[in-house]
């Protein structure tokens, strides 16, 4: 198991290096001067002095090898540069917003697992009408966009029933109760599609496992159907489901932008949209780097869990 973890960690480190190289190259391979593109407005060119100062601030002066070295060392030391608009450190801005988005994604993932796994397992075990209803619900969940569901949730539970606030953010320290209330609706809106995916994967995995020889053997030994399902079917069906959950968690990091915009939730995705609108290159680059690193880390963790659940994967 140790060698398996080391192999996955090595592959992850190589992937991190490739992703950082791609991000570094992207801004430097576009046609024209990226600083002039950032500062120009319409047909008006940027002032040469301003361009020179911005190039210095973004570290675009010097040879490409030196820029690349400064880029990597800055990331290793936690220096992601400074915002063009505010002058604040990018790392500080991300550190303020990232926990909010992670909290939202974790809450949405918990909801998806708590609903999706039992729903998929129940549909596979019961079949018939229950399976048909579950299939319709999961298809609807996949098809319904986040912004449509978010708008409906606000209309019903905020404006009509008045059970939850329509949007905004309050820190846990200021008001724990309101903080939790403001988190519920965006988490539900974000989790619906993920719940449907988990339910469909669980259903498929359970149906496949139920046809295995060891399940028929356990049934022939006289074990109760519930015991066979819990110990032999459901447990052995969790390997592909775990993979989907891990990859889906990483995907949700990039999908929160719609939920955050609809519910006016000041997370990392909202900061990314604002930075793109303001052409704040340093902040955009920093956020892309953090999201990429988190996605790679999540994939490594999923691979390790996969190896723990199924010893065959280690070899």
């Amino acid at each position: 198991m140790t060698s398996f973890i080391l192999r996955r960690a090595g592959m992850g480190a190589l992937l991190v290096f490739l992703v950082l190289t791609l991000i570094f190259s992207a801004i430097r391979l576009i046609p024209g001067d990226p600083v002039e593109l950032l500062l120009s407005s319409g047909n008006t060119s940027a002032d040469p002095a301003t361009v020179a100062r911005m190039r210095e601030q973004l570290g675009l002066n010097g040879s490409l090898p030196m820029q690349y070295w400064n880029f990597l060392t800055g990331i290793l030391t936690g220096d992601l540069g400074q915002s063009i608009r505010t002058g604040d450190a990018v790392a500080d801005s991300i550190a303020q917003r990232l926990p909010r988005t992670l909290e939202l994604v974790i809450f949405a993932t918990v909801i998806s697992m708590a609903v999706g796994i039992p729903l998929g397992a129940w549909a596979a075990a019961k079949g018939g009408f229950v399976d048909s209803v579950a299939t319709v619900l999961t298809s609807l969940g996949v098809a319904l966009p986040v912004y449509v569901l978010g708008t409906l949730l606000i209309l019903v539970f905020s404006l009509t029933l008045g059970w939850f606030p329509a949007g905004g953010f309050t820190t846990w320290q200021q008001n724990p109760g309101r903080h939790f209330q403001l988190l519920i609706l965006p988490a539900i809106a974000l989790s619906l599609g993920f719940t449907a995916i988990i339910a469909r994967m669980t259903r498929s995995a359970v149906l496949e496992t139920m046809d295995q020889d060891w399940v028929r053997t356990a049934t022939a030994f006289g074990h109760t159907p519930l015991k066979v399902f819990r110990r032999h079917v459901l447990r052995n069906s969790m390997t592909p489901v775990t993979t989907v959950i891990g990859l889906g968690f990483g995907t949700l990091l990039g999908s929160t932008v719609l939920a955050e915009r609809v519910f006016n939730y000041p997370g990392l995705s909202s900061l990314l949209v604002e930075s793109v609108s303001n052409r704040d290159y340093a902040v955009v680059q920093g956020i892309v780097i953090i999201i990429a690193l988190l996605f790679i880390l999540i994939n490594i963790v999923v691979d390790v869990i996969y190896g723990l659940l199924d010893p065959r994967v280690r070899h």
Side-chain angles (χ1 to χ4, degrees):
M1 189 65 194
T2 302
S3 62
F4 174 76
I5 295 175
L6 291 176
R7 289 199 305 271
R8 288 296 181 268
M11 293 177 60
L14 177 60
L15 188 56
V16 167
F17 174 77
L18 294 176
V19 168
L20 293 179
T21 303
L22 179 62
I23 294 173
F24 170 83
S25 303
I27 191 64
R28 291 159 179 85
L29 292 178
I30 60 175
D33 190 329
V35 175
E36 291 185 357
L37 293 175
L38 288 169
L39 297 179
S40 61
S41 176
N43 297 324
T44 303
S45 299
D47 178 64
T50 305
V51 172
R53 184 170 61 254
M54 187 62 65
R55 290 183 64 86
E56 180 70 26
Q57 180 179 347
L58 295 178
L60 295 177
N61 292 328
S63 62
L64 282 178
M66 181 58 66
Q67 291 182 40
Y68 187 59
W69 173 254
N70 293 333
F71 174 76
L72 292 180
T73 55
I75 293 175
L76 292 176
T77 57
D79 182 11
L80 299 176
Q82 291 182 326
S83 170
I84 298 174
R85 298 293 176 179
T86 65
D88 297 334
V90 175
D92 293 340
S93 300
I94 293 177
Q96 182 183 20
R97 297 289 193 105
L98 180 59
R100 302 173 185 176
T101 295
L102 287 178
E103 183 181 29
L104 178 59
V105 171
I106 291 173
F107 195 13
T109 303
V110 171
I111 294 174
S112 299
M113 293 172 58
V115 177
I117 293 177
L119 178 61
W122 188 39
K126 292 294 183 181
F129 178 75
V130 174
D131 190 15
S132 300
V133 171
T135 301
V136 171
L137 292 177
T138 54
S139 300
L140 180 63
V142 172
L144 194 61
V146 173
Y147 62 89
V148 173
L149 178 60
T151 304
L152 291 176
L153 291 175
I154 292 175
L155 179 63
V156 175
F157 294 101
S158 297
L159 301 181
T160 303
L161 299 177
W163 291 356
F164 300 100
F169 179 78
T170 300
T171 64
W172 178 267
Q173 293 79 7
Q174 291 174 333
N175 190 331
R178 184 168 180 80
H179 175 84
F180 183 72
Q181 283 184 321
L182 290 168
L183 196 62
I184 291 177
L185 291 186
I188 292 176
L190 192 62
S191 67
L192 181 64
F194 195 22
T195 300
I197 293 173
I198 292 177
R200 297 178 79 164
M201 177 56 68
T202 303
R203 174 186 175 276
S204 299
V206 168
L207 287 175
E208 182 178 354
T209 305
M210 290 173 65
D211 290 334
Q212 300 299 318
D213 292 336
W214 70 77
V215 176
R216 289 190 288 268
T217 301
T219 304
F221 278 136
H223 296 301
T224 63
L226 180 60
K227 185 177 181 180
V228 171
F229 186 81
R230 187 180 68 252
R231 294 188 59 181
H232 299 281
V233 176
L234 190 59
R235 181 177 179 180
N236 287 282
S237 303
M238 286 299 101
T239 301
V241 176
T242 301
T243 303
V244 169
I245 291 173
L247 296 177
F249 183 88
T251 304
L252 285 183
L253 287 173
S255 304
T256 55
V257 57
L258 294 176
E260 291 184 4
R261 296 297 285 181
V262 170
F263 291 95
N264 194 26
Y265 189 87
L268 191 65
S269 296
S270 298
L271 179 62
L272 177 60
V273 173
E274 295 168 5
S275 301
V276 171
S277 301
N278 295 329
R279 297 183 180 182
D280 200 338
Y281 155 76
V283 178
V284 173
Q285 177 180 265
I287 294 175
V288 171
I289 290 172
I290 294 301
I291 292 178
L293 295 180
L294 284 174
F295 194 85
I296 293 171
L297 177 62
I298 292 168
N299 275 274
I300 295 174
V301 172
V302 170
D303 284 343
V304 172
I305 296 176
Y306 204 2
L308 291 173
L309 292 174
D310 189 350
R312 296 171 297 179
V313 177
R314 307 173 198 172
H315 305 289

